[in-house]
Amino acid sequence: MAVKKDYKDQKLAEKLRDRKYYIPDSNPEFIKDVEKIGQTAAHMCYQCGTCTGSCPSAPRSSYRIRLFMRKAILGLEEEILTDPDLWLCTTCYSCTDRCPRDLAPTDAIMAMRNLAFKRDIVPRNFLQTVQLIYKTGHGVPNNDANRAARKRLGLEAEPETTHKYPEYLPGIRRILDHYRLKENADRILAEGE
Amino acid sequence: MAEVKKYEEPRIGVFVCHCGTNIAGSIDVKAVMEYARTLPNVAIADDYQYMCSTPGQNKIAEAINEQKLTGVVVAACSPRLHEPTFRNATKAGGLNPFRFEMANIREQNSWVHMHQPEEATAKAKDAVRIAVAKASLLEDLIPKSVPVEKAAMVVGGGVGGMQAALDLASAGIKTYLVEKTPSIGGRMSQLDKTFPTLDCSQCILTPKMVDVYRHEGIELLTYTEVEAVEGYIGNFDVTLRKKARGVITPAEAEARGIVGGGCTGCGDCATVCPVIKPNPFELGMAPRKAIYIYHPQVSPLIYTVDFDSCVKCGLCVEACDTKQAVDLEAKDEFMTVKVGTVILALGYDIFPIEKKFEWGYKNYDNVITSLEFERLICASGPTGGHLIRPSDGATPKKVAFVLCAGSRDNTGVGKPYCSRFCCMYSLKHAHQIIEKIPGVVPYIFYMDIRSFGKMYEEFYYRIQDEGAKFIRGRVANITQDPVTKNLHVNAEDTLLGRPIDMEVDMVVLAAAIEPTAETEKTRRLFGVSCSQDGWLLEAHPKLNPCGTTTAGVYLAGVCQGPKDIPDTVAQAEGAASAASIPIHRGEVELEPYFAVCMEDKCAGCGLCVNQCPYQALSLVEKEGRTVMQVTEAKCKGCGTCGGFCPGGAIWMQHFATPQIIAQIDAFLLGGEQ
């Protein structure tokens, strides 16, 4: 267990926090959950770093997919689920294409996001995206600038999606309702106000 | 031959090699060649891209014929590499092959003076001038052939020595297999399973042990050590010490006239023996008596008396009864055997890992070595195959494996080399506990996993999939909980970038290996060199890994450097093949570099006789005078006697005084006479 000391100053306490890894601080079941949801044998990762090397997010942020894989194997659940970097994956699947152990690190990240969502840990912009999808069927809905651009290119103003066929919106909403995504997004956003 | 020679007018051919850009990249080869043409006695000088190629060699043979050369100089690489090549070319041209001299302008020049082309070229000219001076005085030499004894010796009865002996004997060569302990089998017989196939080690080894024991061509000499070695390739006289065993075999009993006597391995003697000692085969974790066998599968199945602990109470003699196998008055016996070639398969010991005190071996109860783990996990071991904590006998649920324990260590305490099989056996250990202990978690602390062999990487994959946890980081230290005797393993998870404090029930140290205690003595007896770390030195690391610089002596297994069982067996088969070649040829050619006594100058003082490191010299009566005589086959041409002789009466063939003086003059005088 991490050694705790009673510093009165909270900043100092955080600065001098025991960051050592102790087995009792970890959850050995976490990797099994990730594997079950992500459907990939994450425990077989041998930490070569091909994933981080392929990652378009890595050079522009502190997001390190190899490190998430490592922490998952070590069962550092708390640390992973509260890390804002977890949400920096663009799901481009480059890492999955190149992983020499034939794993799907992207799917492991998606699984960890699912587990985070279960505990209401989601960045606000993701929740707003859920609301937009519920409302328009699009994470990034069409707008006037886009419509003008489409016309200049000789296209119809609205694409072949729910924008053009709003009768399909109820179907999308049913899916989101089934998973209670909208409900949870609304609730979490409201709680955050 | 030994008289002062009258030389014909020398005509020397000089050939300068470019070696691609190896030489020509820093040395002006054309300038060296032009310079050679100005030297006295040089009849022809030429250069070529690769002198060792067929056209290059043809140049030499053609020049000898056309120019009526008396000597050849090639300025190229090290004579160690291509002297035999150019000697053959010289011979092909019709000259005696020893009329060839090599100037090394690559290893000792172009490679080390890569950035000083002018100085390198000047040095190459010096080297050529010196070689020409010697070549002008070279003479015909005829190598001697000596017969080879049709027998071989293998020292060390582990899996490598056993394989070598089986191969030699199966090739029709009488083979003596000498083993210092009472049984063959070696380290492999201590192992539980082998990676990556997970074969039971004993199960695959014992048939081989039986084959060795039964083979008609093998004379098995256990509990025997090499005492002295004399002679040379083809004719080694090896004196062996048969240590007093205190127990006679049925064959020995028959020779003593005891009908139906001798040890049958029944064990009645050990049952009654009152002296209890730790069994070294079980690394002291199980007892044995003063009259003992290591384990039930020993070969030969003959008991041995440990005379250091035996109190000579005589109970065993009574228990043995009419077989009369126990002889408490036995003494060491000596025997000398003549063999043509020798294979050293001396094996290894475990490095005393307690010297790395930070891991607490011998200080903390639950820190063990991997060899102790092998015995504990082995069904025939001291715990019947149950891995237990030495502190309380409990079954461990979290086990840390510390790799590179004492290997890859430059502190001077550990070993600088990789011990090469620890990664793989630690993976195997992880598998074994997962298989035997439900719910156990093995933690493998590693720097790199070196799984380089056939099916080894696949084995690593399998063990990771079975649930072994891998932590990349060398263990910094281990501390013990004084109450629970649990261990705290401190390391950095370098992949996480954070320190780790892992509480485990047991730690297994994959300790480094080192040459056995006897290796140094044995290698000196056979005149074999060793590298800085004590492993025996092969003749060439890539192209002659089984041979040594001593003709007729070969290496097999770990004594040459750490290797696993497949590599050991492969090298043993290679060594057996190499060692059988001189025996099947029936004779070997010796380099004619021996000393020759110029009898009219020799005063018979005998001072040289004691100087000779090879006992090759003796004094004899000839025509009423005492003169020195050289046993040519024993002489290695070292020159000790030649340099020492007060009367200058010893002629060192191919390194004769006039030849060396000419070389020195050529260097100091720069070609002036």
Side-chain angles (χ1 to χ4, degrees):
Chain A
M1 282 293 193
V3 181
K4 286 214 167 86
K5 287 191 177 171
D6 287 331
Y7 292 104
K8 290 208 175 67
D9 182 350
Q10 280 306 305
K11 271 187 184 166
L12 190 65
E14 173 53 27
K15 194 179 172 189
L16 299 180
R17 182 168 59 87
D18 182 2
R19 287 170 175 79
K20 231 177 193 174
Y21 170 81
Y22 300 89
I23 300 179
D25 299 340
S26 67
N27 173 12
E29 299 301 312
F30 182 69
I31 184 73
K32 291 175 190 163
D33 293 343
V34 171
E35 294 198 343
K36 199 174 150 201
I37 300 166
Q39 285 299 295
T40 185
H43 72 283
M44 292 309 295
C45 170
Y46 61 14
Q47 293 281 299
C48 63
T50 304
C51 45
T52 304
S54 306
C55 181
S57 272
R60 293 164 186 84
S61 71
S62 54
Y63 173 59
R64 298 289 177 267
I65 185 159
R66 176 189 63 75
L67 203 53
F68 274 107
M69 297 295 280
R70 182 71 195 142
K71 286 176 177 173
I73 289 167
L74 289 173
L76 290 171
E77 181 181 14
E78 206 56 39
E79 211 176 304
I80 289 174
L81 300 189
T82 56
D83 188 342
D85 283 358
L86 181 63
W87 302 89
L88 292 179
C89 171
T90 65
T91 63
C92 74
Y93 279 93
S94 293
C95 54
T96 303
D97 277 350
R98 292 174 190 159
C99 175
R101 282 242 150 145
D102 205 21
L103 308 179
T106 319
D107 293 347
I109 289 292
M110 291 301 114
M112 290 188 262
R113 285 183 180 178
N114 277 346
L115 290 166
F117 204 153
K118 274 189 184 168
R119 291 172 49 178
D120 293 353
I121 310 169
V122 197
R124 298 180 70 80
N125 57 328
F126 275 74
L127 298 172
Q128 284 154 357
T129 304
V130 171
Q131 290 177 327
L132 282 169
I133 294 170
Y134 197 87
K135 201 171 146 194
T136 68
H138 278 259
V140 183
N142 214 356
N143 54 30
D144 289 342
N146 218 13
R147 287 187 193 98
R150 290 179 63 88
K151 279 182 187 162
R152 276 201 301 281
L153 290 168
L155 298 166
E156 288 180 49
E158 301 296 346
E160 300 285 312
T161 64
T162 46
H163 284 320
K164 194 172 167 187
Y165 309 105
E167 61 270 32
Y168 289 103
L169 262 176
I172 286 173
R173 287 176 186 155
R174 235 178 110 181
I175 295 169
L176 293 177
D177 285 337
H178 179 79
Y179 291 107
R180 297 168 66 197
L181 253 179
K182 169 74 170 18
E183 182 191 329
N184 279 320
D186 290 347
R187 178 179 54 76
I188 298 166
L189 280 170
E191 280 168 6
E193 289 300 320
Chain B
M1 178 164 41
E3 304 312 309
V4 178
K5 311 289 185 306
K6 272 200 167 175
Y7 295 96
E8 69 266 41
E9 197 58 43
R11 291 179 61 78
I12 308 299
V14 178
F15 302 88
V16 188
C17 182
H18 293 242
C19 197
T21 55
N22 272 305
I23 293 171
S26 43
I27 290 175
D28 185 345
V29 171
K30 292 281 180 199
V32 176
M33 188 265 285
E34 292 295 342
Y35 172 76
R37 287 183 173 156
T38 68
L39 293 171
N41 301 333
V42 172
I44 180 175
D46 204 350
D47 67 299
Y48 193 66
Q49 276 291 319
Y50 294 101
M51 279 307 294
C52 57
S53 65
T54 306
Q57 293 186 52
N58 287 344
K59 270 181 183 289
I60 296 173
E62 282 163 20
I64 291 170
N65 281 316
E66 286 168 13
Q67 301 287 333
K68 307 283 172 247
L69 298 181
T70 65
V72 172
V73 168
V74 173
C77 51
S78 160
R80 216 183 134 144
L81 201 63
H82 274 314
E83 192 173 61
T85 314
F86 296 126
R87 273 198 183 148
N88 282 338
T90 307
K91 196 176 171 187
L95 267 184
N96 182 286
F98 292 91
R99 285 179 173 269
F100 165 75
E101 181 67 15
M102 202 152 179
N104 182 345
I105 58 168
R106 193 178 76 164
E107 284 84 344
Q108 293 173 356
N109 193 334
S110 66
W111 279 358
V112 280
H113 306 304
M114 207 171 283
H115 305 296
Q116 299 139 285
E118 278 176 32
E119 290 91 333
T121 304
K123 186 173 169 180
K125 288 177 181 174
D126 284 348
V128 168
R129 187 172 70 246
I130 293 165
V132 167
K134 181 168 179 185
S136 304
L137 298 178
L138 287 174
E139 55 192 359
D140 290 356
L141 296 175
I142 311 296
K144 293 249 168 179
S145 286
V146 292
V148 177
E149 184 72 22
K150 201 173 159 60
M153 177 176 288
V154 178
V155 184
V159 65
M162 283 160 51
Q163 185 63 52
L166 282 170
D167 283 10
L168 285 167
S170 300
I173 296 163
K174 160 87 177 173
T175 305
Y176 300 91
L177 178 56
V178 179
E179 165 59 40
K180 71 177 182 221
T181 69
S183 171
I184 52 172
R187 289 281 169 220
M188 190 176 164
S189 61
Q190 289 181 290
L191 309 180
D192 180 38
K193 286 185 175 175
T194 58
F195 58 79
T197 48
L198 299 171
D199 289 309
C200 156
S201 187
Q202 278 283 21
C203 309
I204 58 174
L205 187 67
T206 36
K208 227 179 240 302
M209 289 164 69
V210 173
D211 286 351
V212 169
Y213 183 66
R214 292 215 179 124
H215 204 296
E216 285 180 347
I218 296 177
E219 187 167 336
L220 181 56
L221 299 160
T222 52
Y223 214 45
T224 300
E225 287 179 12
V226 177
E227 188 72 14
V229 182
E230 271 192 38
Y232 46 89
I233 180 170
N235 300 276
F236 289 105
D237 290 304
V238 185
T239 305
L240 301 170
R241 174 196 289 269
K242 292 186 78 177
K243 293 183 277 187
R245 188 162 200 156
V247 178
I248 58 171
T249 64
E252 286 165 338
E254 206 176 308
R256 291 189 191 185
I258 308 166
V259 180
C263 182
T264 59
C266 70
D268 289 348
C269 51
T271 311
V272 298
C273 178
V275 181
I276 295 177
K277 284 277 161 185
N279 184 354
F281 181 82
E282 304 289 359
L283 306 163
M285 296 186 292
R288 69 156 164 83
K289 298 295 185 65
I291 186 163
Y292 67 95
I293 51 171
Y294 277 164
H295 57 98
Q297 286 137 308
V298 292
S299 181
L301 180 53
I302 303 289
Y303 275 73
T304 304
V305 178
D306 171 13
F307 282 107
D308 290 337
S309 57
C310 172
V311 294
K312 300 208 176 177
C313 65
L315 284 172
C316 53
V317 180
E318 279 173 39
C320 193
D321 201 24
T322 55
K323 293 195 288 289
Q324 298 180 53
V326 184
D327 173 10
L328 295 180
E329 301 309 315
K331 293 274 174 295
D332 289 3
E333 288 170 23
F334 294 90
M335 63 185 282
T336 301
V337 296
K338 197 174 201 55
V339 293
T341 54
V342 176
I343 293 174
L344 300 182
L346 307 178
Y348 66 95
D349 275 337
I350 301 292
F351 166 72
I353 196 64
E354 63 272 20
K355 286 188 184 171
K356 299 294 288 185
F357 56 85
E358 58 264 46
W359 297 320
Y361 180 63
K362 288 197 174 170
N363 195 6
Y364 303 145
D365 291 349
N366 296 326
V367 177
I368 65 170
T369 67
S370 40
L371 199 55
E372 288 168 340
F373 179 94
E374 291 284 351
R375 295 315 302 154
L376 288 175
I377 204 79
C378 180
S380 65
T383 57
H386 299 287
L387 183 67
I388 53 165
R389 284 168 30 112
S391 68
D392 53 11
T395 302
K397 291 287 184 182
K398 285 183 189 143
V399 183
F401 293 90
V402 179
L403 269 54
C404 297
S407 302
R408 305 170 75 188
D409 178 315
N410 296 96
T411 60
V413 181
K415 302 292 175 184
Y417 46 81
C418 164
S419 294
R420 273 186 102 237
F421 45 67
C422 331
C423 284
M424 290 306 296
Y425 71 57
S426 294
L427 292 173
K428 181 200 67 175
H429 289 172
H431 164 82
Q432 286 173 295
I433 59 171
I434 289 170
E435 191 179 57
K436 285 201 170 184
I437 306 170
V440 76
V441 187
Y443 294 96
I444 298 180
F445 288 85
Y446 69 103
M447 291 198 277
D448 310 279
I449 294 291
R450 297 186 167 179
S451 53
F452 50 85
K454 190 173 182 180
M455 296 304 287
Y456 287 11
E457 183 65 22
E458 292 86 337
F459 188 69
Y460 170 29
Y461 185 94
R462 173 182 169 181
I463 305 311
Q464 189 173 6
D465 200 25
E466 284 177 352
K469 303 281 184 199
F470 291 81
I471 295 155
R472 198 189 78 179
R474 188 172 168 279
V475 171
N477 71 324
I478 294 169
T479 54
Q480 181 184 250
D481 185 318
V483 180
T484 62
K485 305 282 182 191
N486 283 351
L487 301 154
H488 287 264
V489 180
N490 290 302
E492 183 194 351
D493 185 323
T494 57
L495 294 163
L496 190 63
R498 247 163 46 190
I500 272 193
D501 174 343
M502 191 162 282
E503 186 176 352
V504 296
D505 305 325
M506 187 176 221
V507 171
V508 182
L509 301 176
I513 58 166
E514 62 179 14
T516 62
E518 295 84 0
T519 297
E520 176 64 16
K521 181 190 148 211
T522 311
R523 76 159 186 92
R524 283 184 183 278
L525 288 174
F526 286 99
V528 173
S529 313
C530 69
S531 46
Q532 207 176 7
D533 43 32
W535 301 114
L536 302 187
L537 200 61
E538 63 287 334
H540 188 285
K542 292 183 175 61
L543 305 177
N544 194 352
C546 298
T548 68
T549 47
T550 304
V553 181
Y554 307 87
L555 304 176
V558 180
C559 66
Q560 181 256 337
K563 50 183 73 65
D564 55 13
I565 295 167
D567 285 2
T568 291
V569 173
Q571 196 188 16
E573 300 211 270
S577 165
S580 69
I581 292 168
I583 292 174
H584 284 316
R585 283 180 65 98
E587 57 174 33
V588 284
E589 224 173 55
L590 302 176
E591 292 262 46
Y593 293 163
F594 34 82
V596 177
C597 176
M598 294 186 276
E599 285 165 10
D600 53 340
K601 284 191 184 176
C602 177
C605 69
L607 286 170
C608 56
V609 174
N610 290 333
Q611 295 290 324
C612 177
Y614 304 102
Q615 291 88 43
L617 311 181
S618 54
L619 290 179
V620 292
E621 293 294 320
K622 263 191 189 170
E623 295 162 12
R625 289 178 59 223
T626 304
V627 290
M628 185 272 277
Q629 191 181 52
V630 183
T631 306
E632 290 169 351
K634 283 189 182 181
C635 174
K636 300 261 192 288
C638 69
T640 307
C641 59
F644 183 78
C645 177
I650 299 174
W651 180 267
M652 297 305 307
Q653 300 210 101
H654 209 64
F655 296 94
T657 306
Q659 294 166 352
I660 290 171
I661 297 280
Q663 286 180 289
I664 296 170
D665 282 352
F667 176 60
L668 294 179
L669 303 175
E672 296 165 30
Q673 292 302 308

